[in-house]
């Protein structure tokens, strides 16, 4: 056990040092992928905008000095203040409000009791609830138009990780409506996204008028019927969280099914291909972010499931493998913490590069192995 603790502590400290160093350059911008060793900058309305402040809050709560803690606090707060502008424009918010606000305003509030963080988090939860499709019983995903589908009736598997914003808002405000909407959406996802074999589809299109399911889309996976690795990771983690917040056994059962299928497809590997079922000629991109998400989700599931010991061992195995085989180490030539993530293979975007959400979930996993928690 001492050996296990030591590697996780070493990995955590290495990630802390690099995050603190990165903060000197990245400051209060919004990184997504690392390009030739340096993180890019995106607009605050981009869906990944919460992961950098979320990572800063993870590190800030254990900062080595008061000066370091204050510096990280100020950067995270500035990010949060920029993100609030998006809450004033309905075109700039979508189903990813949970990713953004659980890791910024809500994390701020949980860590310091800051009233503005709470206010922003509750406003974000109300905007997320407003996206609920009453007839279809799902939360609408995107705002943009698409020639491939009617996005007015689209939901995606990533949504499961945004539901904790609604669960938190329900607890924080003593208003059960937020939880009711979250459960209704989770039930729809369990019914329409989780296949008989336990694999997960990325995108489901519903008729925007009737709410009836129209078809499945491949989304960021190879095709309908495939198994996009990150989507399977979102599902196992997201349903575990729904069980943690509600105690409803059906969510635990779904999380276990998703976890078992993910681990069976992963086998002895650490990092999966971007899609487990992509044809051989497309098995050229990998996704360390899916591995990090799954590792953190497995550690969460380990605390909830009667089979927790096995899930804990699997999560630790993946986390250790990420550290020993995919970490960028202490190198100043690469800002990303873990290598070989893939953003969107079908569009050939961000292939085999560090990704900010991969870094966040990697550090969240290490925090859990050290007895701390993340922000979901």
């Amino acid at each position: 056990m001492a050996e296990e603790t030591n590697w996780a502590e070493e990995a955590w400290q290495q990630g802390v040092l690099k995050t603190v160093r990165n903060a000197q350059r990245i400051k209060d911008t919004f990184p997504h992928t690392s390009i030739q060793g340096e993180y890019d900058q995106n607009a605050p309305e981009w869906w990944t905008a919460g992961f950098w402040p979320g990572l800063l809050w993870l590190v800030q709560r254990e900062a080595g000095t008061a000066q370091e803690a204050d510096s990280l606090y100020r950067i995270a707060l500035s990010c949060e203040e920029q993100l609030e502008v998006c809450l004033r424009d309905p075109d700039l918010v979508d189903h990813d409000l949970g990713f953004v606000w659980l890791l910024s305003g809500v994390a701020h509030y949980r860590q310091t009791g800051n009233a503005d963080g709470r206010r922003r988090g509750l406003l974000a939860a109300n905007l997320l609830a407003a996206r609920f499709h009453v007839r279809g019983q799902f939360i609408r995903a995107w705002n943009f138009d698409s020639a491939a589908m009617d996005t007015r009736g689209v939901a995606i598997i990533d949504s499961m990780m945004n539901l904790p914003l609604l669960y938190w808002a329900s607890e924080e405000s003593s208003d059960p409506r937020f939880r009711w909407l979250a459960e209704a959406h989770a039930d729809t996802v369990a019914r329409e996204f989780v296949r008989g074999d336990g694999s997960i589809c990325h995108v489901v299109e519903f008729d925007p008028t009737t709410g009836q399911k129209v078809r499945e889309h491949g989304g960021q996976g190879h095709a309908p019927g495939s198994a996009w690795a990150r989507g399977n990771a979102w599902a196992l983690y997201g349903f575990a969280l729904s069980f943690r917040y509600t105690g409803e056994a059906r969510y635990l059962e779904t999380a276990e099914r998703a976890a078992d299928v993910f681990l069976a497809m992963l086998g002895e590997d650490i990092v999966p291909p971007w899609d487990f079922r992509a044809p051989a000629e497309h098995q050229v991109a990998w996704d360390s972010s899916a591995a990090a998400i799954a590792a953190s989700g497995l550690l969460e599931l380990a605390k909830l499931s009667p089979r927790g010991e096995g899930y804990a061992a699997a999560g630790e195995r993946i986390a250790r493998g990420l550290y020993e085989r995919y970490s960028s180490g202490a190198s100043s030539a690469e800002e990303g913490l873990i290598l070989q993530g893939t953003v969107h293979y079908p569009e050939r975007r961000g292939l085999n590069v560090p990704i900010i959400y991969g870094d966040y979930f990697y550090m969240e996993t290490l925090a859990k192995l050290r007895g701390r928690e993340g922000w979901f």
Side-chain angles (χ1 to χ4, degrees):
M1 182 60 71
E3 181 185 355
E4 298 300 309
T5 302
N6 288 341
W7 79 259
E9 183 64 29
E10 182 180 89
W12 169 261
Q13 293 301 335
Q14 188 178 89
V16 166
L17 289 173
K18 180 162 284 192
T19 299
V20 171
R21 185 173 69 206
N22 287 347
Q24 297 174 14
R25 190 198 69 81
I26 294 174
K27 295 185 171 62
D28 57 350
T29 63
F30 300 97
H32 184 195
T33 58
S34 176
I35 302 170
Q36 296 183 336
E38 191 169 282
Y39 263 116
D40 60 4
Q41 298 180 6
N42 285 265
E45 61 265 27
W46 189 236
W47 77 273
T48 62
F51 290 102
W52 174 238
L55 179 55
L56 294 176
W57 284 121
L58 283 180
V59 173
Q60 193 269 349
R61 70 183 175 188
E62 298 186 52
T65 67
Q67 181 179 3
E68 184 178 280
D70 183 66
S71 175
L72 297 176
Y73 175 90
R74 291 179 182 277
I75 294 171
L77 177 59
S78 180
C79 288
E80 182 182 328
E81 290 170 344
Q82 293 177 70
L83 291 169
E84 183 175 14
V85 175
C86 299
L87 295 177
R88 304 169 192 163
D89 186 339
D91 291 328
L92 300 184
V93 296
D94 58 21
H95 68 286
D96 283 322
L97 282 157
F99 276 138
V100 174
W101 286 98
L102 286 166
L103 302 181
S104 57
V106 177
H108 185 192
Y109 170 61
R110 284 170 165 168
Q111 190 145 307
T112 70
N114 181 271
D116 280 332
R118 178 182 184 275
R119 172 181 58 79
R120 292 164 179 145
L122 288 174
L123 175 56
N126 276 274
L127 292 172
L128 181 58
R131 300 185 69 83
F132 188 75
H133 191 292
V134 176
R135 288 187 174 178
Q137 297 287 286
F138 64 87
I139 295 171
R140 178 189 174 184
W142 302 312
N143 301 328
F144 59 80
D145 294 328
S146 170
M149 65 192 81
D150 188 339
T151 56
R152 295 176 302 164
V154 162
I156 65 176
I157 193 61
D158 316 43
S159 61
M160 290 303 301
M161 293 296 295
N162 289 280
L163 297 186
L165 179 65
L166 298 178
Y167 294 129
W168 168 81
S170 196
E171 293 175 352
E172 189 65 30
S173 65
S174 299
D175 188 336
R177 292 176 298 169
F178 293 106
R179 172 175 162 169
W180 293 342
L181 293 182
E183 288 191 34
H185 177 81
D187 290 340
T188 299
V189 171
R191 183 180 66 252
E192 306 293 1
F193 286 71
V194 184
R195 307 186 186 107
D197 64 359
S199 64
I200 310 295
C201 66
H202 181 200
V203 179
V204 171
E205 179 182 356
F206 300 87
D207 184 293
T209 301
T210 67
Q212 295 298 306
K213 182 177 181 177
V214 175
R215 64 179 65 89
E216 172 186 335
H217 294 270
Q220 288 177 246
H222 173 70
S226 66
W228 178 48
R230 191 158 67 245
N232 280 254
W234 290 142
L236 79 87
Y237 196 170
F239 277 104
L241 291 169
S242 278
F243 174 68
R244 191 187 81 194
Y245 279 100
T246 69
E248 295 292 340
R250 63 188 183 276
Y251 300 143
L252 176 61
E253 293 167 3
T254 306
E256 290 174 332
R257 287 181 63 205
D260 293 345
V261 169
F262 183 94
L263 292 173
M265 291 189 291
L266 183 66
E268 296 302 312
D269 292 335
I270 297 299
V271 168
W274 65 281
D275 189 311
F276 288 110
R277 294 176 180 162
E281 63 268 26
H282 293 292
Q283 297 281 7
V284 294
W286 309 91
D287 194 4
S288 59
S289 75
I293 294 160
S296 190
L298 288 164
L299 294 182
E300 198 68 41
L301 188 55
K303 297 181 293 186
L304 306 169
S305 169
R307 295 189 282 135
E309 185 175 345
Y311 291 131
E316 289 178 26
R317 183 186 75 83
I318 295 171
R320 186 166 188 169
L322 287 172
Y323 171 56
E324 294 178 346
R325 294 165 53 184
Y326 293 89
S327 167
S328 64
S331 171
S332 60
E334 175 55 70
E335 290 182 339
L337 302 185
I338 55 173
L339 310 173
Q340 288 190 258
T342 288
V343 173
H344 197 319
Y345 182 86
E347 293 184 357
R348 302 303 192 270
R349 288 194 288 113
L351 307 186
N352 296 315
V353 296
I355 307 173
I356 191 62
Y357 42 84
D359 285 359
Y360 170 81
F361 285 106
Y362 172 65
M363 289 295 281
E364 181 185 83
T365 303
L366 295 175
K368 290 178 179 180
L369 288 171
R370 300 171 64 254
R372 303 300 296 268
E373 296 298 331
W375 302 122
F376 289 92

